[in-house]
Amino acid sequence: SAVVEQQAACVQLLLERGAHADGKGTSCTRPDVTPLMIACMLGDSHSTFALIEHGATLNAADPEGFAALHHACYAGHAACVKLLLAAQADRTRRCGGDTAQQIAQNQGHAECVAAFDDDQLQLPATRFSNGSRVRIVGLVGKPEHNGKLAEVTTFNPDSGRYTVSLSAPYH
């Protein structure tokens, strides 16, 4: 239900504490729809990223043959499409005769269609949890912060950027 409620921080915490990324063993998940599919239907890129990172099955299909990539393309959620493609979701799988890219095209979602042509898509190489301590390196426009410790407060999978706090204990 954390995915349905679009509570990405809760999804992340549950996964970190051992919840199965495909929703196995939960009473609120329909057996034919995975949490990843739901996150992609709703356009919740934060939960999509967390589920991918924790091993969600990318190409599982619902009874109609839609995988998460099809759902994201149908709904026009380009950030989710990019994450799925970067994670190597099957772009050739057909549902009702159409690939996910064709579904996006049929729905008029140009940004989703364009994502299929981007061969530079990749997931962040390193994922820091909220509260992780990191050293600032090469902060553009703020050289006085370089070399200082900071605390990661959030990660935005849409942009691939972290937000950090330079609160007093970390200077």
Side-chain angles (χ1 to χ4, degrees):
S1 73
V3 174
V4 173
E5 299 287 328
Q6 296 188 42
Q7 298 292 323
C10 186
V11 170
Q12 179 69 33
L13 182 63
L14 289 167
L15 292 167
E16 287 172 0
R17 295 200 174 162
H20 196 282
D22 288 329
K24 294 178 181 171
T26 62
S27 60
C28 60
T29 303
R30 288 181 26 204
D32 56 348
V33 178
T34 67
L36 183 60
M37 289 179 206
I38 295 168
C40 290
M41 286 177 206
L42 298 173
D44 184 350
S45 60
H46 295 273
S47 291
T48 297
F49 179 75
L51 290 161
I52 290 170
E53 181 182 51
H54 284 85
T57 303
L58 297 175
N59 299 312
D62 65 18
E64 290 79 37
F66 272 68
L69 185 58
H70 296 98
H71 285 293
C73 284
Y74 183 82
H77 300 304
C80 294
V81 170
K82 291 174 184 177
L83 287 168
L84 290 164
L85 291 173
Q88 304 300 310
D90 183 358
R91 57 179 64 215
T92 64
R93 179 189 203 108
R94 293 184 177 273
C95 177
D98 290 333
T99 64
Q101 184 178 20
Q102 290 166 328
I103 290 170
Q105 190 166 9
N106 294 342
Q107 295 299 314
H109 300 306
E111 190 177 355
C112 293
V113 173
F116 285 83
D117 296 326
D118 187 348
D119 59 358
Q120 302 299 314
L121 292 174
Q122 58 183 337
L123 291 173
T126 304
R127 169 85 162 128
F128 297 101
S129 298
N130 292 352
S132 295
R133 291 176 67 174
V134 295
R135 189 162 307 279
I136 303 296
V137 178
L139 187 61
V140 177
K142 299 285 185 181
E144 67 273 15
H145 295 308
N146 290 337
K148 293 186 179 176
L149 287 177
E151 179 179 318
V152 173
T153 54
T154 58
F155 173 72
N156 183 341
D158 297 333
S159 66
R161 296 180 180 203
Y162 290 92
T163 303
V164 296
S165 169
L166 289 167
S167 56
Y170 299 105
H171 286 283

